[in-house]
């Protein structure tokens, strides 16, 4: 594949992403981090001289790199990393060390066996002082022989829940020396004499994180779409029980319970698709500003992508499992393809920022915005609904008036309902936080004791953003039939979300019990409306059978014949009589 | 008050000491761990027997699971067969019998990784469905493992709905044989365990035809492999169905039959018989069939759900006091992740659920034993209730247990994702329980059918079974709680659960009647209400679980701190259920918005209380390190050393051919030195 990349001269990370997807489907591969993290980091965090040296090597895959951040004992909390890089002015080198067991680099993809270089994050020590985390390019294996270099201990971390193709690795460094020029110095620098030059803004390193997290949002949409495609096509092929006495067994997709499992997920897949596209566009727009030195929108984007990364990956993760369950026993077989989608996708709840921590980062931004509003300032962007809270305090009847205005057939009106829920939960969390602060001395303690509320507030905020973006998308669709079916999906997404979180809407008085009953009823009506279009809606995702990798989800629906063909290839079927018969069963029976 | 006793069972660490972060958790237990273990086992004597069985099995190297995470499907299968064969010898050696007190602990000690589990189902089905003559012929052969049995019901195209099965058995009067066929691909038997490679015989369920008339599904004993050389019998196509999410050790199989002839005597004929002249005779009550299903559903709760759930809690909670992350207070050491409220909110409700399900399992077991005694007296009155409860609880407990194990997995961050944590295999195993022995949605609908029937009966003043008498006494009203501590009263929350269950059942019953009265066909009305029916059935089971937990706590002895801590867990279980399902309780204003804030406050306060006893509460489950087989969850908490050592055994660390074959050519024109 890499040979082909070279041949076609593909170098843009996004083009590489699509090219790779076409080659490998969604299977992780050992060179994955080389393109996504190693090359990307060199592109964004090096000086011109460094770029000139390293970028051609990376782009041409003359070296293979990975990105070594996580340690055995340390994950999302970066400041806790223990690896050290101590500057030695005498030789103008950094000395890298893994001082403890917990400081061994652990998990980086491609580190175990594939890579010969790694970007290592380490605590920088110069002139006797710790200057915090910095990134270094570290050669780890001998070019030519691929043997680990002296001072380097490197290997594979063992089997995981999926990702069998990937050699996630460990790396231990023992007084390993690299030249001064191997520190990535676009922002912070160490001069030859050891003088440390601070970066202009520490927000800049957010850039890569935002980029990767925006990819995960898109991946949530794609993985869920794949699972929906499989489950919905299979549900049209599978027949079971009887709905009407005397008639043949119906397609299981005709059961209300089956529709109730799958169609809200289909709507979610579409919703996340639009969210993914939105974040990517926003990232590209803001990246332009960043290069021109305008960092004003970065905090909001960072907060938004953190929360949406968590929100979409959690939802998609659960959704993939529901799709698998909806396929009954056969969903459990690897031939359904869903187990592989699940195990490949589920780590995204943890990597690139553990989801709960991500939600709390978003919450921090929400609370900050709320505090600004409370002190009379106005906020902009996705959180501008918080401005309304101050108005509501002047007119307390406003909330009561809102209840009757929600029209459950109107996406725009439902966006308002979600907005009200988010506003209420952000306010509740901020107030609880304040109450804890009034009781206790420590800010951290108060934050910790409010964190369950804060996560709920973030979830409500993200949920609102998703509904809003989906609803906004509808007006951009010119084809009337497409718009009609997307409107049904948007309504289903919004209404189903309400029916799953009725407590929030009831407790805040946004909807009455009677309206909730209507919402539940309307969800069921929408299921019947979507039913005739269900297969067409998954066909639109346009997954080729080879990419889908599923016997149950085949485009032609010839499920059973092909399950049989697939099973014949099982390793246990290599011989008609398995060797364990001769080894264990026969001797046992002989003894009887 | 430190009541910690040095457990006789505490395990030596290969790394020397217990990690001080874990040791300190055990110093502050508010209750006696050993006493709680005995409570869970049903008495100190049971604990002693269980430990003896576990020790005997785990000290035998043939039963070792040490390298299981590195093995292929073929290796896992072979190991399982070897263990199954060795187990026969071991049982003989130890004097354990199938009816002895040790038997039920063997499976737990082996973590289920052993072949011939379906052989037991094969034997049970013959015992239940076979005539005395058939039992006398087959059971001794099976007991001595002269043949290996399987149980072939599910087909490629047909699962839970038995009437839909397509395999045929046609009676041939001339030869006094049944001719078995797989008429099309969707009729192929698919999934039965032990059938892919091991079994020599299997019980096949097929549509019986006599003189061209179909008599429905019946069981037949069919030989599929030679007893001499294990080759397939004529007319038989069988093999392994390929890799699954778990159960690598089990050869789930497929089976195709082409004009396979078996003697008339091979139809299991306790209830139905085909006479030599082709007359079909029905005898006795078939209701007992339901009883078999009930028995299986109840027994799987303990082996297939509670054990993995308790293991997952043990691993995740121990790891959460070893793992440190970020700082809670400036200047201090990084905090144990279990000190974060969000982490407590993930794990402690799962721990409470493990205890709640343990107690409801005891309740179901007692009910079942009572039902069994009644049936032996030819009284089938308890069957509908037993069937409804076992279906509903099978669905609810497998579903929540699965969700709980996944939460535990994800609560361990990246390391939870390593197979060496033990959590992925616990998860992939427990989740299969949501499907086998009846798909959960269908089971909940069976419970719902019973509830609707009982509700109608109760409304008409007719008597109903004990577990649903509450449907007759519907009291309108509001939750009387005045402050957050009122929500720590079992009466208050039990009533709330009861209220919700009654509301959901009665409103669905009303909806069904409305639809029927407005002209809908009965089956159409039913399908239109199924989403609500499922919710109603879940609410019923949730209510019974909470009520049973509260009643159990009340009966516990007050000494040694056991009752106190169990009361906390019961409160947590109940309030977590309200907190995560607020809409159901707010819907008709039974709990007000202000009261819901009290629930939340009370619930979050409890997390901090139970946090202190979290490690002792999982220690009480009393799993050995070998049972857990987890680098994260060992008793000594030496997490990082163990991960590092176990990783060295990874097969990828032997030189992989990938470099020579692919990477070297890729890099070959690169510089030799940078």
């Amino acid at each position: 594949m890499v040979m082909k990349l070279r041949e076609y001269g593909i170098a843009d990370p996004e083009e590489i992403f699509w090219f790779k997807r076409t080659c490998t489907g969604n299977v992780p591969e050992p060179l994955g981090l080389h393109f996504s993290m190693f090359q990307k980091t060199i592109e964004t965090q090096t000086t011109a001289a460094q770029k000139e040296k390293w970028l051609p090597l990376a782009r041409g895959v003359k070296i293979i790199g990975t990105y070594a951040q996580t340690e055995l004992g340390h994950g999302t909390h970066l400041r806790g990393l223990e690896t050290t890089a101590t500057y030695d002015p005498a030789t103008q080198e950094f000395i890298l060390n893994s001082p403890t067991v917990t400081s061994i680099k652990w998990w980086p993809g491609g580190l175990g066996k594939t890579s010969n270089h790694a970007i290592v994050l380490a605590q920088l020590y110069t002139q006797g002082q710790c200057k915090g985390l910095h990134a270094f390019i570290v050669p780890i294996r001998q070019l030519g022989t691929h043997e680990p270099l002296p001072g380097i201990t490197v290997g594979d971390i063992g089997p995981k829940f999926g990702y069998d193709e990937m050699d996630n690795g460990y790396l231990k460094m023992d007084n390993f020396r690299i030249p001064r020029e191997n520190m990535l110095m676009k922002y912070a620098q160490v001069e030859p004499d050891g003088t440390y030059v601070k970066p202009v803004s520490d927000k800049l390193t957010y850039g890569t994180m935002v980029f990767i997290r925006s990819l995960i949002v898109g991946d949530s949409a794609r993985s869920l779409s794949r699972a929906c495609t499989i489950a919905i096509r299979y549900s049209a092929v599978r027949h079971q029980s009887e709905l009407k006495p005397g008639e043949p067994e119906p397609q299981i997709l005709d059961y209300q319970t089956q529709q109730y499992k799958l169609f809200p997920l289909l709507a979610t897949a579409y919703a996340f698709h639009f969210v993914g596209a939105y974040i990517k566009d926003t990232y590209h727009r803001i990246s332009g500003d960043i290069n021109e030195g305008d960092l004003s929108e970065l905090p909001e984007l960072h907060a938004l992508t953190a929360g949406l990364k968590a929100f979409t990956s959690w939802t998609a993760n659960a959704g993939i499992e529901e799709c698998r369950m909806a396929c009954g026993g056969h969903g459990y077989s690897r031939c359904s393809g869903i187990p592989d989608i699940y195990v490949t996708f589920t780590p995204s709840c943890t990597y690139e920022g553990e989801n709960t921590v991500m939600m709390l980062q978003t919450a921090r931004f929400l609370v900050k915005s709320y505090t600004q509003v409370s002190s009379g300032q106005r906020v902009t962007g996705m959180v501008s609904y918080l401005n309304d809270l101050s108005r509501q305090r002047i007119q307390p009847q406003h909330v009561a008036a809102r209840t009757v205005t929600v029209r459950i057939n109107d996406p725009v009106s439902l966006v308002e309902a979600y907005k009200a829920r988010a506003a209420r939960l952000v306010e509740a969390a901020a107030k609880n936080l304040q109450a804890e602060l009034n009781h206790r001395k420590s800010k951290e303690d108060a934050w910790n004791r409010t964190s369950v509320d804060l996560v709920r507030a973030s979830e409500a905020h993200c949920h609102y953003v998703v509904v809003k973006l989906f609803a906004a998308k509808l007006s951009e669709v010119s084809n009337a039939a497409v718009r009609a079916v997307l409107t049904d999906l948007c309504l289903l997404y919004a209404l189903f979300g309400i029916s799953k979180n009725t407590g929030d809407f009831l407790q805040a008085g946004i909807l009455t019990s009677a309206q909730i009953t209507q919402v539940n009823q309307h969800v069921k009506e929408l299921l019947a409306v979507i039913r005739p279009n269900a297969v067409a809606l998954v066909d639109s995702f346009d997954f080729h059978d080879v990419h889908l990798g599923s016997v149950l989800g085949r485009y032609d629906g010839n499920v059973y014949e092909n399950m049989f063909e697939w099973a014949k290839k099982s390793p246990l079927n290599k011989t008609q009589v398995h060797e364990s018969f001769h080894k264990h069963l026969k001797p046992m029976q002989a003894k009887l | 008050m430190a009541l910690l006793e040095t457990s006789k069972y505490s395990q030596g660490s290969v790394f020397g000491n217990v990690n001080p972060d874990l040791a300190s958790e055990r110093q502050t237990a508010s209750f006696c761990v050993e006493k709680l273990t005995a409570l869970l086992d049903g008495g100190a004597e049971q604990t002693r027997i269980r430990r003896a069985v576990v020790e005997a099995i785990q000290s035998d190297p043939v039963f070792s699971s040490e390298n299981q995470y590195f093995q292929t499907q073929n290796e896992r299968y072979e190991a399982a067969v070897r263990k199954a064969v060795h187990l026969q010898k071991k049982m003989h050696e130890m004097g354990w019998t199938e009816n002895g007190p040790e038997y039920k602990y063997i499976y737990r000690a082996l973590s289920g990784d052993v072949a011939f589990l379906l052989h037991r189902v094969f034997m049970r089905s013959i015992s239940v469905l076979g005539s005395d003559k058939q039992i006398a012929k087959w059971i001794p052969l099976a007991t001595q493992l002269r043949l290996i049995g399987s149980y072939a019901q599910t087909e490629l195209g047909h699962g839970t709905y038995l009437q839909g099965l397509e395999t045929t058995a046609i009676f041939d009067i001339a030869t006094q044989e049944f001719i078995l066929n797989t008429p099309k691909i969707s009729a192929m038997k698919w999934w039965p365990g032990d059938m892919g490679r091991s079994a020599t015989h299997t019980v096949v369920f097929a549509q019986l035809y006599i003189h061209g008339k179909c008599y429905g599904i019946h069981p037949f004993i069919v030989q599929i492999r030679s007893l001499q050389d294990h080759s397939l019998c004529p007319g038989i196509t069988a093999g392994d169905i390929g890799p699954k999410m778990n159960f690598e050790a089990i050869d789930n199989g497929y089976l195709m039959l082409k004009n396979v002839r078996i003697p008339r005597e091979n139809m299991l004929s306790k209830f139905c018989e085909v006479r030599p002249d082709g007359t079909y005779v029905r005898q006795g009550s078939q209701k007992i069939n339901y009883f078999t299903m009930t028995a299986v559903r109840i027994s799987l709760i303990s082996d297939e759900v509670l054990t993995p759930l308790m293991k997952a809690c043990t691993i995740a909670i121990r790891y959460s006091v070893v793992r440190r992350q970020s700082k809670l207070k400036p200047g201090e050491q990084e905090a144990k992740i279990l000190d974060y409220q969000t982490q407590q909110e993930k794990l402690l409700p799962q721990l409470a659920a493990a205890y709640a399900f343990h107690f409801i399992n005891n309740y179901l077991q007692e009910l079942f034993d009572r039902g069994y005694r009644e049936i032996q007296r030819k009284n089938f009155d308890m069957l509908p209730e037993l069937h409804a409860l076992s279906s509903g609880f099978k669905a609810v407990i497998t579903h929540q247990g699965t969700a709980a194990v996944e939460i535990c997995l994800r609560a361990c961050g990246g390391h939870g994702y390593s197979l060496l944590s033990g959590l992925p295999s616990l998860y992939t195993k427990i989740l299969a329980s949501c499907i086998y022995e009846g798909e959960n949605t269908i089971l909940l609908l069976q419970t719902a059918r019973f509830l609707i029937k009982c509700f109608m009966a109760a409304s008409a003043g007719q008597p109903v079974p004990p577990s649903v008498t509450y449907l007759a006494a519907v009291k309108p009203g509001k939750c009387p709680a005045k402050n957050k501590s009122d929500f720590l009263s079992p009466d208050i929350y039990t009533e709330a659960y009861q209220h919700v269950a009654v509301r959901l059942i009665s409103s669905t019953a009303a909806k069904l009647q409305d639809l029927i009265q407005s002209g809908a066909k009965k089956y159409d009305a039913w399908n239109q209400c199924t989403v609500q029916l499922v919710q109603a059935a879940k609410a019923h089971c949730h209510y019974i679980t909470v009520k049973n937990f509260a009643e159990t706590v009340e009966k516990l002895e007050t000494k040694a701190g056991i009752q106190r801590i169990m009361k906390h867990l019961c409160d947590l279980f109940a309030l977590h259920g309200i907190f995560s399902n607020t809409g159901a309780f707010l819907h008709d204003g039974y709990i007000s918005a202000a009261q819901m804030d009290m629930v939340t406050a009370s619930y979050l306060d409890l997390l901090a209380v139970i946090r202190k006893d979290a490690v002792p509460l999982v220690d009480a489950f009393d799993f050995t390190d070998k049972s857990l087989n987890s680098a994260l969850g060992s008793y000594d908490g030496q997490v990082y050393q163990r991960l590092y050592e176990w990783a060295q055994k990874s097969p990828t660390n032997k030189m992989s051919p990938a470099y020579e074959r692919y990477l070297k050519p890729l890099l070959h024109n690169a510089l030799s030195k940078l």
Side-chain angles (χ1 to χ4, degrees), chain A residues 321 332 342-343 444 513 576, chain B residues 197 328 406 417 427-428 587:
Chain A
E321 279 296 76
Y332 192 77
Y342 175 73
V343 295
E444 290 77 9
S513 296
Q576 223 10 285
Chain B
R197 291 286 111 190
L328 263 175
E406 203 203 4
Y417 192 76
Y427 175 65
T428 51
H587 189 87

Side-chain angles (χ1 to χ4, degrees), chain B residues 353-430:
Chain B
Y355 278 93
F357 294 157
H358 173 82
F359 293 125
I360 198 72
N361 182 49
N362 288 350
Y363 164 86
L364 290 170
Q365 204 64 56
E366 274 166 38
L367 200 69
F368 176 82
D369 292 343
R370 201 151 20 100
Y372 187 63
R373 285 194 299 274
E374 290 300 315
I375 281 167
Q376 284 176 321
R377 281 187 231 133
K378 302 278 176 219
N379 172 10
F380 294 100
D381 289 354
M382 277 181 75
L383 260 181
E385 185 188 21
L386 255 182
H387 182 245
L389 278 175
S390 66
S391 304
F393 275 108
K394 184 270 178 184
V396 166
I397 295 176
T398 55
H399 176 78
Q400 291 195 19
T402 300
V405 173
E406 203 203 4
I407 290 171
C408 290
L409 190 157
R410 280 199 267 136
C412 292
H415 295 328
Y417 192 76
S418 165
L419 287 196
L420 309 182
S421 76
L423 291 164
S425 32
L426 288 173
Y427 175 65
T428 51
K429 196 153 195 192
I430 194 177

Side-chain angles (χ1 to χ4, degrees), chain A residues 37-46 67 119 184 208:
Chain A
M37 292 299 288
F38 184 73
Q39 186 178 319
K40 183 89 191 163
T41 307
I42 289 175
E43 279 170 18
T44 53
Q45 296 191 29
T46 49
Y67 189 84
I119 288 177
L184 300 185
T208 317

Side-chain angles (χ1 to χ4, degrees), chain A residues 72 107 156 161 238 244 261 314 321 330 332 342-343 356 444 513 524 570 573 575-576 578 592, chain B residues 74 78 144 156 197 240 323 328 341 346 406 410 414-415 417 427-428 441 523 532 587 593 650 653:
Chain A
L72 197 39
W107 278 111
D156 177 84
F161 198 19
R238 178 83 172 178
K244 298 176 192 174
K261 285 176 197 170
W314 264 336
E321 279 296 76
H330 295 334
Y332 192 77
Y342 175 73
V343 295
T356 303
E444 290 77 9
S513 296
K524 287 187 272 180
S570 170
N573 289 335
T575 52
Q576 223 10 285
H578 196 267
L592 287 166
Chain B
N74 251 327
E78 194 190 318
Q144 296 166 41
L156 194 42
R197 291 286 111 190
D240 177 83
R323 179 75 171 186
L328 263 175
Q341 190 189 48
K346 285 175 195 171
E406 203 203 4
R410 280 199 267 136
H415 295 328
Y417 192 76
Y427 175 65
T428 51
T441 304
Y523 50 78
Q532 276 165 281
H587 189 87
S650 175
N653 282 330

Side-chain angles (χ1 to χ4, degrees), chain A residues 2-3 6 57 61-62 64 72-77 80 101-102 106-107 113-114 116-117 143-146 155-161 163 170 238 240-245 249 254 256-257 260-261 314 317 321 324-325 328-330 332 334 339 342-343 346-347 350 354 356 444 448-452 456 502-503 506-507 513 516-517 521 524 560-561 563-564 566-567 570-573 575-578 580-581 583-585 588-589 592, chain B residues 69-70 73-74 77-78 81-82 85 116 144-146 148 156-161 164 185-186 188 190-191 197 228-230 232 239-247 251 254 256 323-326 328 330 334 339-342 345-346 406 410 413-415 417-419 424 427-428 431-432 434-435 439 441 511 523 527-528 530-532 579 582-583 586-587 593 596-597 605 640 643-644 647-648 650 652-653 659 663 666-667 670-672 674:
Chain A
V2 175
M3 300 289 191
R6 273 185 197 163
L57 294 171
V61 202
K62 298 216 159 71
I64 300 170
L72 197 39
H74 308 277
T76 305
H77 181 64
V101 177
T102 45
W106 199 270
W107 278 111
K113 296 281 138 186
T114 311
N116 52 26
H117 282 72
L143 296 173
T145 66
H146 213 58
D156 177 84
I157 63 163
K160 299 135 296 188
F161 198 19
Y163 272 70
Y170 59 79
R238 178 83 172 178
Q240 167 100 355
S241 306
E242 52 182 24
L243 265 175
K244 298 176 192 174
E249 297 184 47
D254 286 333
Q256 191 189 54
T257 45
Y260 190 71
K261 285 176 197 170
W314 264 336
N317 185 67
E321 279 296 76
R324 188 183 54 67
M325 294 281 207
H330 295 334
Y332 192 77
R334 292 277 297 273
Y342 175 73
V343 295
T346 191
T350 307
E354 196 277 328
T356 303
E444 290 77 9
N448 187 30
R449 291 189 59 92
T450 322
S451 51
V452 170
R456 282 177 80 188
T502 53
L506 285 168
Q507 203 180 355
S513 296
I516 294 290
T517 306
Q521 185 54 32
K524 287 187 272 180
Y560 299 130
E561 299 84 330
M563 277 181 80
F564 187 36
W566 184 86
S570 170
L572 256 60
N573 289 335
T575 52
Q576 223 10 285
V577 175
H578 196 267
S580 54
F581 169 74
K583 275 200 206 160
H584 307 294
L585 295 180
M588 171 188 76
Q589 283 168 340
L592 287 166
Chain B
Y69 298 126
F70 303 112
Q73 189 191 0
N74 251 327
Y77 167 68
E78 194 190 318
V81 172
R82 192 178 73 232
V85 170
F116 310 158
Q144 296 166 41
L145 275 177
R146 283 182 185 270
I148 299 163
L156 194 42
H158 308 276
T160 307
Y161 181 67
I185 194 136
S186 56
M188 197 180 331
W190 200 271
W191 279 110
R197 291 286 111 190
Q228 265 71 50
D229 62 4
H230 216 63
L232 291 172
D240 177 83
I241 63 161
K244 303 137 291 190
M245 285 188 93
N246 196 322
F247 295 93
D251 53 323
Y254 59 78
M256 243 196 311
R323 179 75 171 186
R324 289 175 174 272
Q325 168 101 346
S326 308
L328 263 175
E334 291 188 45
D339 286 328
Y340 290 94
Q341 190 189 48
T342 46
E345 212 267 321
K346 285 175 195 171
E406 203 203 4
R410 280 199 267 136
H415 295 328
Y417 192 76
S418 165
L419 287 196
Y427 175 65
T428 51
L431 64 80
C434 295
I435 298 154
E439 195 274 334
T441 304
K511 176 89 187 295
Y523 50 78
N527 190 31
Q528 282 183 48
T530 43
V531 168
Q532 276 165 281
F579 173 79
T582 53
L586 288 163
H587 189 87
M596 196 52 86
D597 285 338
D605 287 348
Y640 300 118
L643 266 177
Y644 188 59
Q648 310 302 316
S650 175
T652 323
N653 282 330
Y659 174 72
L663 295 179
L666 177 73
L667 297 166
L671 330 162
S672 66
L674 284 168

Side-chain angles (χ1 to χ4, degrees), chain B residues 236-283:
Chain B
I236 300 284
T237 308
D240 177 83
I241 63 161
K244 303 137 291 190
M245 285 188 93
N246 196 322
F247 295 93
E248 294 92 339
I250 308 291
D251 53 323
N252 295 82
Y254 59 78
L255 170 69
M256 243 196 311
L257 302 145
K258 194 173 174 200
N259 290 323
V260 173
R261 288 177 169 264
I262 57 169
R264 189 180 63 88
E265 294 75 20
N266 278 21
M267 179 172 125
L268 292 176
S269 57
K270 182 162 190 173
F271 301 108
C272 308
E273 194 187 356
V274 177
R275 297 255 165 88
D277 64 352
T279 320
Y280 179 82
V281 188
R282 209 178 264 283
Q283 54 212 359

Side-chain angles (χ1 to χ4, degrees), chain B residues 377-562:
Chain B
R377 281 187 231 133
K378 302 278 176 219
N379 172 10
F380 294 100
D381 289 354
M382 277 181 75
L383 260 181
E385 185 188 21
L386 255 182
H387 182 245
L389 278 175
S390 66
S391 304
F393 275 108
K394 184 270 178 184
V396 166
I397 295 176
T398 55
H399 176 78
Q400 291 195 19
T402 300
V405 173
E406 203 203 4
I407 290 171
C408 290
L409 190 157
R410 280 199 267 136
C412 292
H415 295 328
Y417 192 76
S418 165
L419 287 196
L420 309 182
S421 76
L423 291 164
S425 32
L426 288 173
Y427 175 65
T428 51
K429 196 153 195 192
I430 194 177
L431 64 80
S433 68
C434 295
I435 298 154
Y436 58 61
E437 299 305 332
E439 195 274 334
N440 279 351
T441 304
I442 295 172
L443 292 184
L444 285 166
L445 288 172
Q446 286 176 5
T447 308
R449 206 176 277 278
F450 169 82
L451 292 172
I452 296 288
K453 223 162 130 185
C454 292
F455 177 77
M456 300 301 217
S459 311
Q462 291 160 7
V464 291
S467 62
V468 285
T469 45
Y470 74 97
L471 292 173
V474 187
K475 298 172 278 194
K478 305 271 178 214
C479 172
K482 302 257 184 312
N483 52 52
K484 68 175 181 177
S485 59
D486 285 347
F487 279 103
L488 300 178
S489 152
D491 288 343
I492 298 266
Y493 55 67
T494 310
E495 290 250 329
Y497 274 95
Q498 189 191 83
H499 180 87
V500 168
V502 172
R503 179 174 67 74
L504 289 172
I505 294 165
S506 62
S507 67
T508 314
K511 176 89 187 295
L512 263 174
Q513 277 199 316
D514 276 1
L515 285 167
I516 290 167
Q517 270 164 15
S518 61
K521 291 264 184 350
K522 230 174 156 177
Y523 50 78
D524 258 344
W526 182 263
N527 190 31
Q528 282 183 48
C529 291
T530 43
V531 168
Q532 276 165 281
L533 286 161
V534 165
Q535 280 161 354
K538 282 184 186 164
H540 170 72
C541 293
H542 210 156
Y543 159 59
I544 302 281
T545 312
V546 169
K547 181 165 162 263
N548 178 66
F549 201 163
E551 286 170 0
T552 307
V553 168
E554 210 163 286
K555 283 181 252 160
L556 290 175
E557 52 173 338
T558 49
K559 50 179 194 219
I562 304 283

